[in-house]
Amino acid sequence: MAFVAESRGQETTSSTGIFLADPTIYLNKDIYYLYGTSGNEGFLVYQSKDLKKWGSPAGRNNGYALSKSDSYGSIGFWAPQVFKHHDTYYMAYTADEQIAIAKSKHPLGPFKQNKLAPLSGIGKQIDPFIFFDSDEKPYIYYVRLNEGNRIYVSEMKSDLSDMIAGTARECISGADTWENTENTNWPVTEGPTVIKQGKYYYLIYSANDFRSKDYAVGYAIAESPLGPWKKHHGNPIISKKTLKANGTGHGDLFKDKSGNYRYVLHTHHTAETVSPRRTALVDLKFIEQPNHPALLISDNSSFRLLLP
């Protein structure tokens, strides 16, 4: 089954935690910026200097970095990614189950579009992640809703205005047992993040329906940004078993000020309820192996929920 925009629910904030789903953290000029799925009005943003104290939403439009009045979409604002390219800040995001890109002069926004339109593509597409290879060539990883949530990659135009037609390739789908624990006819792989480590490309992703307690994180490896991708034999690397929390997944990888990798993700609200989903952090590490790709592992002891 495909999920309508309302199915992911409204995320909220309170003094007891930060409740952003599909989160991402962007470090810029000694400040961390936290974004995520936060409802149907756009994307809230928080800021911190130490990844511990976040305060109230700090976006320049009533706490929002992007408001739906400024950009494409009317509902289902999901899974933002923020990055800087040349002198401009970009936000790639989902709305109305399509992908759009907005721009700003500051990480706090306001992010806007000159033309209120999504990127081109076929059918419903969500969860964008833009990756620049070593030669600065851009690629976009995303999810197509087609007999399951399947992760694709397309080459992008150099000005990031759109995908290049005819370049789309499927990367992975939910074919492994851990990726579809309920054995549904709509297997889910989603929330891609891609990085390059040495000569290898790592595609980090989540699997299972986000409402499932078994929502979890694994990765695949390739020698080209276009694949083919080989899934890690030890998947999942983040799960309810490793972190002792339900619904662990759909996050983003970033480096902290010390150069260490952190993965920001969401979990279910409680053992019984899914939403509003809690935002959390866990450390990830690459372990080098002679004559083999490095292993990516989770430091489970570092797991913690984010607080205002």
Side-chain angles (χ1 to χ4, degrees):
M1 60 178 288
F3 306 117
V4 296
E6 291 89 345
S7 70
R8 293 202 176 193
Q10 300 288 326
E11 305 303 325
T12 61
T13 58
S14 77
S15 60
T16 61
I18 293 178
F19 306 126
L20 296 178
D22 316 325
T24 184
I25 289 178
Y26 172 62
L27 175 59
N28 184 71
K29 296 180 180 178
D30 207 41
I31 296 176
Y32 297 99
Y33 296 90
L34 169 66
Y35 313 78
T37 298
S38 51
N40 287 322
E41 298 303 315
F43 297 103
L44 295 171
V45 56
Y46 296 78
Q47 57 184 357
S48 174
K49 289 190 174 181
D50 60 6
L51 294 174
K52 295 178 181 178
K53 297 180 180 179
W54 291 95
S56 301
R60 291 181 171 178
N61 192 344
N62 296 318
Y64 286 87
L66 178 144
S67 297
K68 71 177 181 181
S69 59
D70 291 329
S71 295
Y72 170 79
S74 59
I75 198 170
F77 288 83
W78 302 337
Q81 177 206 11
V82 173
F83 59 94
K84 188 176 184 180
H85 183 55
H86 299 313
D87 295 324
T88 301
Y89 297 92
Y90 289 80
M91 178 186 285
Y93 68 97
T94 304
D96 296 347
E97 294 184 318
Q98 294 295 322
I99 294 169
I101 298 178
K103 302 178 184 180
S104 177
K105 295 186 180 298
H106 195 278
L108 292 177
F111 285 85
K112 300 183 178 182
Q113 288 176 288
N114 295 328
K115 180 181 179 182
L116 303 186
L119 300 185
S120 62
I122 299 173
K124 295 178 178 180
Q125 353 185 84
I126 64 174
D127 296 356
F129 183 87
I130 294 175
F131 167 76
F132 293 90
D133 203 356
S134 306
D135 60 2
E136 293 302 311
K137 182 178 177 64
Y139 299 84
I140 183 167
Y141 297 83
Y142 56 100
V143 174
R144 280 186 179 174
L145 307 187
N146 177 24
E147 298 182 352
N149 287 22
R150 298 168 178 264
I151 297 178
Y152 277 73
V153 60
S154 291
E155 298 177 34
M156 288 206 80
K157 295 179 179 180
S158 59
D159 63 359
L160 306 184
S161 61
D162 208 347
M163 304 179 190
I164 297 176
T167 64
R169 297 189 186 187
E170 184 173 329
C171 298
I172 60 170
S173 63
D176 290 352
T177 301
W178 76 270
E179 297 168 334
N180 188 10
T181 60
E182 296 176 12
N183 196 30
T184 71
N185 60 2
W186 191 272
V188 171
T189 51
E190 61 185 15
T193 294
V194 173
I195 59 167
K196 189 176 184 181
Q197 177 77 1
K199 69 175 185 178
Y200 296 102
Y201 299 82
Y202 288 72
L203 168 58
I204 304 167
Y205 65 96
S206 297
N208 288 300
D209 186 324
F210 74 95
R211 294 167 293 195
S212 169
K213 294 180 179 180
D214 292 327
Y215 199 58
V217 178
Y219 70 89
I221 300 176
E223 294 187 36
S224 162
L226 297 174
W229 297 90
K230 182 179 180 180
K231 294 175 181 177
H232 172 51
H233 62 84
N235 284 340
I237 61 169
I238 294 172
S239 68
K240 69 178 183 181
K241 180 179 179 180
T242 62
L243 298 187
K244 311 304 179 186
N246 290 335
T248 54
H250 202 144
D252 197 7
L253 191 70
F254 69 98
K255 279 187 176 181
D256 65 16
K257 295 178 185 180
S258 299
N260 299 314
Y261 279 114
R262 306 282 190 98
Y263 189 74
V264 59
L265 70 157
H266 70 238
T267 74
H268 287 180
H269 191 68
T270 68
E272 292 77 31
T273 60
V274 174
S275 295
R277 285 163 285 174
R278 296 181 177 273
T279 313
L281 275 179
V282 66
D283 294 352
L284 295 187
K285 301 177 182 178
F286 282 100
I287 306 298
E288 297 297 331
Q289 301 186 106
N291 304 316
H292 293 282
L295 289 175
L296 182 60
I297 65 169
S298 169
D299 179 1
N300 302 325
S301 65
S302 69
F303 174 74
R304 63 180 175 85
L305 299 173
L306 297 190
L307 300 174

